[in-house]
Structures are given as C-alpha cells and as structure tokens.
C-alpha cells in the first residue's frame, strides 16, 4: 500500500501539510528562495549559511514546498542535483508526427466535397494509400460504406463534433466508433467566402472497436439463449392443454415479455375436482428468468396436489404459503385460487395479494370480486379466508396477472378499470375474448412484462342442449326408512332421463350404498342429489357429519364396510369433501356412453 497517499486522510495530516506550505511561503518572502536540494543529505551545514541568498535565484518551475529528496516528495533527479529541465511547449510539436503515431485511424478532409488532405499510417495500413486532393466519396469509399458522408456534411454545417458508435463495414468487417471534429485550415488568400469554404475541414477519427462489438454480440447471443431456455421452461411447465369441464368453457393465453424483458413466473391451471366442480388458479412469481420459472413450476405442481384434497380455497392458499417460504424465502408470489360449483352457481375464491377476479353477468354488468385478499405467498403469519361471487348461466369471468393492467406512470386501478370496460364490450367464445382483451389493453410482442389471462364462461343452454343437463334432489328424512324412498327416487329419475337399463341399475345401486352409509354414519340434514351432464352421471349424498369415509378391505366375517368399496368398483370415480357449513359430501360419477 502507498502509505504516503493514504496518510493524507488521517486526522491532523492536512493541517501539518498546510503549515509546511505556509512556512515555505514565508521563507520565499524573506528572500531565502527554494530549499537547496542538498538539505536532505549529509552535506556541511555551514555551506548553506555561507552561500549568498542570490547565488541560486528561485525558478518558478520548482515547487516551493519540496522539502525532501526521498521518494514521494515530488522532486525530480534534476531538481535534487540543482539542474532544471525545460518542458517543451505544445506549439513545438508537429501535428503530423502526433497524428501519424496514433494507433487509431485518422483522416483529414477539407472543403465542401471533403477532399483528402491527410491520412495517417494506421489509416493507410487499414484501408490502403489515398490520393490527396480527391473527394472523399471517391478516395475514401469506406466512409460511404460506413454511412459517414452525411455525418461529414452535418459536422461542417453545424461546426460541432459528432460521434457515431459501432459502425460495421459491409461484409461483416471491422467495427468502428467514429468521431468527426470540425477544424479550420490557415487561410492563404482569396476572398473571404472562398477562403472560408475551402479552408473548413473535418478531422475523422476511427477507433477500432471490433473486439468490443464482438463481445457485445456474444453477450446478446448468450442472453437470447438464456431467454429462450426460460421461455421453453415456462411454457413446458404451463398446462399443454386445458381441462374442459362439463359446465364451463375455458380458454387461457400466456404472452412472455418482449425481447428486452426477462421471462417472469406467470402461470395458470384448470383442475377438475369431480362431482362437476372445477378449480381454477392463476398466479405470478415475483422475479425474472429461469429461477422464477422454476419456482412457478413447483407451486403449480403443489396446487394440483392440494386441489386433489378438495379443500376450501383459503386452506389451499394456507398450504401454499408455507410451501413458498420453504422453496425460497426470497421469492414471493401472488395467487388466486377459485372453485366453481355448478349446483350452487357460485365461484368460491381466495386471494394471496392477487388482482381481483372480474365477472360479467348475462346482462353485461361487470363486477369485481370483493375482499378478502391476503398478502402474497411466502410472507407467512396470515390466515386466509374465502369469498364467493355469483357465476350463473351466461356469465363470463376473467382471471389475469398484473402484466395485463399495470403500466409505468399509471395507477394499477386505472388499468383494472380499463379491463372492466374492455370486458363489458367483449363478446364471443373464451378464446376470442382472450384475444380481444389483450389487444384492448395494448399487449403485443414488445410488451415489457409477462401476461397470463384466463377466461371462463357458464353457458346459458337452451333447446336440445339444455335437455342434456338436469338436476334432481331429495331430502332424506325419517331415519332408516329413507333408504327405500331414495332407491325409488333414483330409479324414477334415471328412467326419466332415458339412460340405458344397465346404467340405471348401477346408478340405483350406487345411490343406495351412499345413502345407507350416510344414514349409518352421518347426521342430519341429509340430501341425495342426482345430476346429469352431456358426458357423465353424478350421484352425491351430503350430511351434517364432517368425518370423511375411506375405502378399506372388509373381512369375510364383517357385516359392514363394503359400501364404499362397492361404489369405487362400479363407478368411474368417487370422492368426498367437507362442505363449508360443516359436514361432508360423498359422490361418485359414471361416464355416459358416446352419443
């Protein structure tokens, strides 16, 4: 370490340096002159006293504060020996010699046609010898290839220097950063206008930046490859094909940010839960690049696993919140998880810092899903709650990420209001509405943020299509005698829906087993619900007990425990869940034969 350099920062050092300067100035005023060079050596002290003060007059080129001869004192060997060396004047240097030794390419042109006055050796080595006096467009064709001739005219007219960066010669040659500086030649005669016209010139300085340009291009290529990898990862983690439930029509789109923006962590998913219910999720992981996409993939996988538990929306978010903190404590994510129940005509949802769901009813009125909204996932310490919003026949709902509505310099509520206006006038299928909303909000290939949009519709069916969707329900009252009434009800309803005999028999058996299980293990109120769609028959029994049944192997001597096993064997699928009011629902499905 250069201690002399850093010692000036220590307390008191600057004051001592100032004191030495004042002392030297006082000596000069008394006529003592500069301090002799031999003062720091071992010369005879008397020699200094015996020498006249005017024998060594002070030279202005010698610093009056030099008090030593060692390194770091600022004195030169000539000063230490008493011999002063004159510094050459800049006027004595030859401009031709200076320009000729520069490693950069230098050319000098003059006049309105930019006639060649001079090129240095580096220019000649790069482009070959040039004929003095010839116009630049003939003698310096490389300037035209680099697009510099208009720049020369501009510099000559304005009298101000201009710089052009990273100009590449045609054919993939070298790259140059060019600086054009106006110069004035000495006037040798002629009228004033002619003299000014012929003696105004431009000094052209070309710095070879090929290595720098190639390094920049390699960096850009690396960034493009990384972005392509992130986009590929992002798209591979998103659902390749959305599940299409019986009662909803769903479309979703994902638009990555423009080429200058890194890929984010926007994601969405559709999960069929059984019994006609559907889970819908959309989220946004904060951050950019492959890391955000990887975290997004882990959260999406976790959501699908938690959704299979058929939990209420707020409980799913509660589980996700703890998982997000474990995945990466520095990453947070927003998310909204919703469940559509066609029997209730409701969309139950919970939000973790995400933007509100928008719903347009059959009359064209757009509403925002109200609170509750909790903090983003990964923050911890918050109990999420669920809310509901009506989604009846003819309604359209939109779930989206902030890239759709957020703009620099604008409040995000203005973007949400613009989305509401666009949704109010958007008609057509979910796919068409997705495209129209993206265009209405100005999202294109150069958009600076990722955008994910999901549109779902509850169709308003009529005519022959409506005949394929039916509901029927029976309240199970009166204890054990409700079982035969339930079998008779199921038999009559399934026959009226014109199902094949085999399917009717299986449906009655499944309804009988589910009702018997509820009567034995459940508590009132109890209900049997039958529902058909164009693709399946759904049988569901609800009661007031929240103990969920499980399938188990019954021993030959057991008199009970076979009901759920029978249902699981004859049905396409079965499941159970807890209901919001306390209690449970046990259901099974039968796939209908193709029409």
């Amino acid at each position: 370490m250069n201690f002399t350099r850093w010692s000036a920062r220590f307390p008191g050092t600057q004051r001592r340096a100032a004191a030495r300067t004042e002392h030297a100035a006082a000596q000069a005023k008394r006529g003592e002159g500069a301090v002799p060079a031999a003062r720091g050596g071992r010369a005879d002290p008397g020699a200094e006293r015996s020498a006249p003060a005017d024998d060594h007059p002070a030279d202005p080129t010698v610093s009056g504060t030099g008090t030593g001869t060692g390194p770091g004192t600022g004195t030169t060997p000539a000063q230490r020996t008493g011999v002063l060396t004159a510094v050459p004047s800049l006027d004595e240097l030859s401009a031709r010699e200076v320009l000729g030794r520069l490693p950069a390419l230098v050319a000098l042109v003059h006049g309105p046609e930019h006639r060649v006055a001079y090129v240095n050796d580096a220019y000649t080595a790069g482009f070959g010898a040039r004929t003095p006096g010839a116009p630049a467009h003939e003698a310096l064709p490389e300037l035209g290839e680099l697009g510099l001739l208009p720049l020369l005219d501009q510099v000559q007219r304005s009298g101000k220097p201009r710089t052009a960066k990273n100009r590449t010669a045609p054919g993939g040659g070298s790259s140059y950063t060019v600086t054009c500086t106006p110069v004035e030649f000495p006037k040798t005669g002629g009228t004033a206008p002619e003299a000014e016209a012929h003696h105004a010139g431009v000094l052209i300085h070309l710095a070879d930046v090929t290595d720098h340009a190639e390094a920049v291009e390699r960096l850009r290529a690396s960034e493009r490859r990384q972005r392509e990898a992130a986009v590929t990862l992002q798209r591979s983690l998103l659902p390749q094909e959305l599940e299409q439930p019986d009662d909803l029509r769903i479309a979703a789109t994902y638009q990555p940010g423009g080429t200058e923006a890194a890929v984010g962590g926007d994601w969405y998913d559709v999960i069929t839960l059984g019994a006609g219910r559907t889970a819908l999720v959309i989220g946004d992981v904060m951050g950019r690049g492959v890391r955000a996409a990887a975290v997004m993939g882990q959260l999406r996988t976790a959501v699908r696993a938690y959704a299979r538990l058929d939990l209420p929306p707020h409980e799913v978010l509660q589980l996700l919140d703890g998982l997000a903190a474990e995945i990466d404590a520095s990453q947070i994510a927003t998310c909204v998880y919703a469940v559509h129940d066609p029997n209730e005509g409701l969309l139950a949802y919970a939000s973790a810092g995400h933007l509100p769901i928008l719903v347009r009813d059959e009359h064209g009125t757009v509403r925002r899903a109200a609170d509750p909204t909790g903090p983003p996932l990964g923050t911890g310490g918050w109990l999420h709650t669920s809310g509901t919003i009506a989604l009846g026949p003819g309604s359209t709902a939109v779930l989206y990420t902030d890239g759709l509505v957020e703009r620099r310099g604008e409040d995000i509520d203005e973007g949400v209001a613009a989305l509401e206006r666009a949704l109010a006038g958007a008609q057509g299928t979910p796919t068409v509405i997705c495209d129209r909303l993206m265009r209405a909000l100005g999202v294109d290939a150069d958009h600076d943020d990722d955008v994910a949009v999901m549109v779902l519709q509850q169709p308003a069916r009529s005519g022959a299509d409506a005949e394929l969707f039916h509901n029927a329900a029976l309240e199970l009252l009166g204890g054990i005698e409700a079982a035969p009434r339930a079998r008779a009800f199921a038999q009559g309803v399934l026959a009226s829906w014109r199902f094949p005999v085999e399917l009717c028999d299986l449906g009655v058996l499944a309804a009988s087993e589910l009702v018997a299980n509820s009567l034995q293990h459940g508590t009132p109120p109890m209900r049997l619900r039958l529902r058909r769609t164009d693709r399946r028959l759904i049988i569901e029994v609800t009661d007031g007990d929240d103990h969920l049944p499980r399938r188990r192997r019954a021993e030959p001597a057991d008199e009970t425990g076979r009901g759920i096993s029978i249902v699981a064997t004859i049905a396409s699928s079965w499941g159970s869940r807890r209901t919001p009011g306390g209690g449970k629902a046990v259901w099974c499905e039968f796939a209908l034969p193709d029409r």
Side-chain angles (χ1 to χ4, degrees):
M1 176 182 289
N2 188 341
F3 185 78
T4 305
R5 173 187 174 190
W6 290 99
S7 63
R9 299 178 180 268
F10 296 156
T13 306
Q14 295 179 353
R15 291 193 297 271
R16 291 193 293 270
R20 289 196 298 268
T21 303
E22 294 175 358
H23 177 69
Q27 288 181 331
K29 186 175 181 180
R30 291 195 300 268
E32 296 179 7
V35 179
R39 181 174 179 179
R42 298 181 180 274
D44 183 7
E48 182 181 349
R49 290 192 299 268
S50 62
D54 57 351
D55 284 350
H56 301 285
D59 191 281
T61 63
V62 180
S63 172
T65 60
T67 58
T69 59
T73 59
T75 60
T76 65
Q79 290 173 330
R80 290 195 294 269
T81 58
V83 179
L84 302 179
T85 303
V87 177
S89 172
L90 189 61
D91 296 335
E92 300 175 7
L93 299 178
S94 169
R96 177 181 292 272
E97 182 180 1
V98 172
L99 296 178
R101 293 187 178 183
L102 287 178
L105 286 66
V106 176
L108 185 63
V109 298
H110 70 94
E113 296 183 349
H114 309 300
R115 295 184 177 275
V116 179
Y118 168 78
V119 293
N120 69 348
D121 294 341
Y123 198 102
T124 301
F127 294 112
R130 294 295 183 263
T131 303
H137 66 275
E138 297 177 0
L140 305 175
E142 58 276 1
L143 298 185
E145 295 175 354
L146 295 172
L148 297 175
L149 294 179
L151 186 64
L152 297 179
D153 295 333
Q154 182 182 1
V155 170
Q156 198 168 55
R157 286 194 305 268
S158 65
K160 296 180 179 179
R162 294 289 187 271
T163 298
K165 296 183 179 180
N166 295 333
R167 293 294 179 94
T168 303
S174 300
S175 297
Y176 300 93
T177 291
V178 185
T179 301
C180 298
T181 306
V183 296
E184 291 291 337
F185 288 90
K187 299 177 183 179
T188 59
T191 61
E194 292 179 355
E196 291 180 1
H198 287 284
H199 296 294
V202 179
L203 181 66
I204 307 167
H205 180 278
L206 296 90
D208 192 335
V209 294
T210 304
D211 292 342
H212 174 74
E214 292 177 350
V216 171
E217 183 56 33
R218 288 194 297 270
L219 178 60
R220 289 176 178 172
S222 175
E223 291 175 346
R224 285 194 297 268
R225 288 192 297 270
Q226 291 181 7
R227 185 178 186 278
E228 290 172 359
V231 171
T232 302
L233 175 62
Q234 175 86 332
R235 291 194 181 279
S236 66
L237 293 175
L238 291 174
Q240 304 304 303
E241 185 177 354
L242 291 179
E243 299 180 22
Q244 292 294 336
D246 299 350
D247 296 275
L248 293 177
R249 298 293 177 264
I250 305 175
T253 183
Y254 170 72
Q255 174 67 52
T259 56
E260 299 299 325
V263 176
D266 294 14
W267 56 289
Y268 57 84
D269 207 351
V270 178
I271 309 159
T272 53
L273 302 178
R277 301 167 69 252
T278 306
L280 309 121
V281 58
I282 194 166
D284 184 4
V285 177
M286 303 302 175
R288 301 281 185 177
V290 175
R291 179 58 183 166
V295 172
M296 175 273 291
Q298 295 178 78
L299 290 179
R300 176 175 173 258
T301 302
V303 168
R304 294 193 70 88
Y306 295 149
R308 297 305 178 191
L309 301 175
D310 213 341
L311 300 171
H314 65 276
E315 293 189 22
V316 172
L317 290 191
Q318 208 71 50
L319 293 172
L320 280 178
D321 184 39
L323 179 65
E326 293 177 6
I327 292 175
D328 190 341
S330 63
Q331 291 274 7
I332 61 174
T334 64
C335 177
V336 60
Y337 180 87
V339 175
H340 175 252
D341 189 339
N343 296 315
E344 304 294 339
L346 295 175
L347 192 66
Y349 64 91
S351 176
H354 206 79
L355 295 167
I357 301 172
L358 301 183
V359 176
R360 185 190 67 198
D361 61 22
E362 57 182 341
H363 305 293
T365 303
V366 178
R367 295 173 294 124
R368 298 186 189 185
D371 290 339
T373 298
L377 302 176
T379 55
W382 182 269
L383 292 178
H384 294 273
T385 56
S386 298
T388 59
I389 187 170
L391 188 69
S395 298
T396 301
V398 178
L399 290 74
Y400 52 95
T401 57
D402 58 359
L404 182 65
V405 297
E406 190 174 26
R407 300 292 182 271
R408 289 188 178 91
E410 294 183 7
D411 191 279
I412 196 169
D413 285 336
E414 298 178 6
V416 176
L419 179 59
E420 288 179 335
R421 294 190 295 269
L423 178 60
Q427 301 291 335
T429 64
T431 301
V432 172
I433 293 177
C434 276
D435 295 338
R436 291 181 176 178
L437 294 181
M438 297 279 276
R439 289 197 302 268
L441 274 294
V443 178
D444 53 22
D446 297 326
H447 195 60
D448 60 356
D449 195 5
D450 288 24
V451 177
V453 181
M454 181 188 299
V455 175
L456 54 137
Q457 289 180 339
Q458 170 74 49
R461 296 180 174 89
S462 60
D465 189 31
E467 293 298 321
L468 300 176
F469 292 81
H470 289 289
N471 288 279
L474 174 68
E475 299 293 334
L476 302 176
L477 305 174
I480 195 171
E481 61 271 16
R485 290 201 305 270
R487 286 192 294 271
F489 174 78
Q491 181 70 48
V493 169
L494 297 183
S496 68
W497 289 348
R498 299 179 181 179
F499 285 146
V501 176
E502 296 82 0
L503 182 58
C504 287
D505 292 343
L506 292 176
V508 171
L509 177 58
S512 177
E513 293 296 337
L514 292 181
V515 169
N517 185 77
S518 181
L519 291 174
Q520 182 175 0
H521 301 288
T523 59
M526 302 178 186
R527 172 185 288 186
L528 169 64
R529 175 181 289 162
L530 304 178
R531 175 176 173 79
R532 72 155 293 172
T533 69
D534 59 343
R535 289 185 286 181
R536 72 197 76 231
L537 165 66
I538 303 168
I539 302 173
E540 184 178 68
V541 175
T542 60
D543 62 55
D545 184 76
D546 62 357
H547 179 72
L548 299 180
R550 60 185 178 85
R551 184 180 181 182
R552 63 186 181 87
R553 183 183 298 275
E555 299 297 332
D558 292 343
E559 297 182 358
T560 60
R562 294 180 177 85
I564 296 299
S565 294
I566 294 174
V567 170
T569 301
I570 65 176
S572 302
S573 60
W574 78 281
S576 62
R577 72 179 187 278
R578 291 186 174 87
T579 54
K584 66 176 179 295
V586 185
W587 56 268
C588 67
E589 294 181 348
F590 292 88
L592 300 185
D594 295 335
R595 290 182 293 172

